[in-house]
Amino acid sequence: MILTSEEHSMLAGDQGKAAQTAMQILTALGRIYGAQRMIPVRSVQIAGVSYDNLGEAGLEWLTEMAAGEGHVRVPTTLNPAGMDLENWRVLGIPADFAEKQYRVIDAFTRMGATPTCTCTPYLAGNLPAMGDTIAWAESSAVCYANSVIGARTNREGGPSALAAALTGRTPEYGMHREENRRPGVTVDVQTRLSDTADFGALGKIIGGRLEILGRKVLPWITGVDSASVEQLKSLCASAATYGGLAMFHIPGITPEAGSRPPSGNTITVGGADLLAAKQSLSDASAGEADFVSLGCPHLTLGEVARIAELLDGKQVAKEFWITTSRPVKRDSDRLGYTEIIERSGAKFAVDTCCVVAPIRGRFRAMATDSAKACYYAASKNRFKTRFLDFTAVVEEALVK
Ligand code: F3S
């Protein structure tokens, strides 16, 4: 790789141990993927923040990087942590876990990262512009940034995202290159999509079909005339989970779609496909849920408002987590939604989520509108799943 004098200086250790380690990570990645040079990044989002995922080895590494004069050079936010950083006791998080989680956050903040822990950084102050080069790690946010915003990012791992933050650089390969952002297959949706759950199910179908065609083929999705931020984030989360997808195009909705279909195959998705995908996300033996969660990816303020409206004057009968970012929660506080929601017995789980919190085996069955959450509920937390639309999830929480 051709490096600038500044990059050579970091690699030589002239700018501290952490910058040196970071540049070593990035040059190794660049060599593996055939990058010719480094390019500057404008924004970073780091995953691997929950102590439940990091463990002791991860915490030690972060502590070493912070001690090695590591300091971020660009705006940097974090993925969800393993707990609500202000209200972890209410969620039943053990004190020894909380102590470790605070040490993780402390290491990141000593390096200058903003401790806004969310998988929707674009809703919480870390919003790149179209064409910006960024280094984000959370897979749903990566797909959203590439597809919906038109910013450019590979799916970084925790260490490579931190390395990008500490150097302000990333190797130029993959989604940073124009030729890898073009669609290669048409997905013709021949059924109406009406809720976040429908978009999540579509993401599962597309992800599954592209697994067969090869992950590098980007879909050009037709038959979707409109989509809200909430629906797009649901599609992103699911397509990234089930197909490793980093980008899709929807003509008329996403900025790089253009108007001409790709010359490759066409996949059709009909009503029966959508129904089958939705059914596959629920366990037949789940029965009634004992845990209910909305907010995978983290909720928008509009979704929080919708929950408040549905819960107003009612009492929940189940453990119900409402997961969102701290900035959205603050707006919810000001607008009175928090009071309505908490009066119902539902709990905000801010800075965290039902997947990265240490709740493995704590519940039997979870109800959610998130196809991504279903995947991890089963694989990580050993919960059975009930996949429902948004309103039905809230109703499930009310069933005694
Ligand atoms: Fe976000 Fe957790 Fe889902 S990080 S995308 S809410 S699994």
Side-chain angles (χ1 to χ4, degrees), residues 90-338:
V90 167
L91 304 179
I93 305 295
D96 59 336
F97 180 92
E99 188 264 321
K100 304 278 192 187
Q101 185 63 71
Y102 279 131
R103 284 173 55 199
V104 170
I105 300 299
D106 181 58
F108 279 123
T109 47
R110 276 190 285 138
M111 288 188 271
T114 306
T116 299
C117 299
T118 183
C119 49
T120 55
Y122 46 88
L123 299 174
N126 187 354
L127 176 62
M130 181 161 174
D132 278 356
T133 297
I134 63 176
W136 285 11
E138 157 55 35
S139 65
S140 66
V142 165
C143 187
Y144 194 96
N146 282 313
S147 311
V148 181
I149 300 172
R152 299 179 169 216
T153 179
N154 288 315
R155 181 181 175 179
E156 302 294 344
S160 68
L162 178 60
L166 297 177
T167 60
R169 310 285 201 282
T170 195
E172 186 184 38
Y173 70 93
M175 299 308 292
H176 296 296
R177 299 186 62 88
E178 190 64 37
E179 66 269 25
N180 297 325
R181 301 177 65 84
R182 295 183 194 128
V185 60
T186 300
V187 175
D188 187 19
V189 179
Q190 298 180 346
T191 185
R192 209 174 81 80
L193 306 173
S194 60
D195 207 336
T196 43
D198 284 352
F199 279 80
L202 175 65
K204 180 175 190 280
I205 296 168
I206 293 174
R209 304 256 179 105
L210 294 187
E211 277 275 276
I212 298 163
L213 283 174
R215 282 177 175 221
K216 290 206 170 129
V217 183
L218 304 187
W220 198 76
I221 304 170
T222 59
V224 177
D225 299 331
S226 67
S228 64
V229 167
E230 290 82 2
Q231 291 164 339
L232 289 167
K233 74 178 168 67
S234 176
L235 174 59
C236 287
S238 168
T241 298
Y242 292 95
L245 200 66
M247 186 175 192
F248 56 75
H249 299 279
I250 309 180
I253 293 177
T254 63
E256 294 178 55
S259 54
R260 296 227 324 264
S263 53
N265 299 334
T266 295
I267 294 168
T268 57
V269 177
D273 298 314
L274 198 72
L275 185 63
K278 289 170 87 166
Q279 285 170 345
S280 73
L281 287 161
S282 284
D283 282 299
S285 61
E288 200 181 296
D290 58 346
F291 179 46
V292 178
S293 185
L294 283 170
C296 174
H298 273 174
L299 297 167
T300 63
L301 186 62
E303 289 175 309
V304 173
R306 201 170 151 198
I307 295 169
E309 194 182 336
L310 291 164
L311 288 179
D312 196 6
K314 299 177 182 147
Q315 279 299 306
V316 302
K318 320 259 165 74
E319 180 85 0
F320 184 3
W321 285 16
I322 290 155
T323 64
T324 192
S325 65
R326 186 64 55 188
V328 167
K329 166 68 164 40
R330 287 203 185 107
D331 284 340
S332 168
D333 294 348
R334 286 189 204 106
L335 289 164
Y337 304 143
T338 302

Side-chain angles (χ1 to χ4, degrees), residues 53-85:
N53 299 338
L54 276 173
E56 206 50 33
L59 170 57
E60 258 174 47
W61 187 71
L62 289 172
T63 308
E64 268 170 37
M65 293 296 273
E69 301 166 67
H71 206 275
V72 305
R73 296 175 191 228
V74 293
T76 300
T77 57
L78 306 176
N79 219 28
M83 63 185 199
D84 186 312
L85 297 176

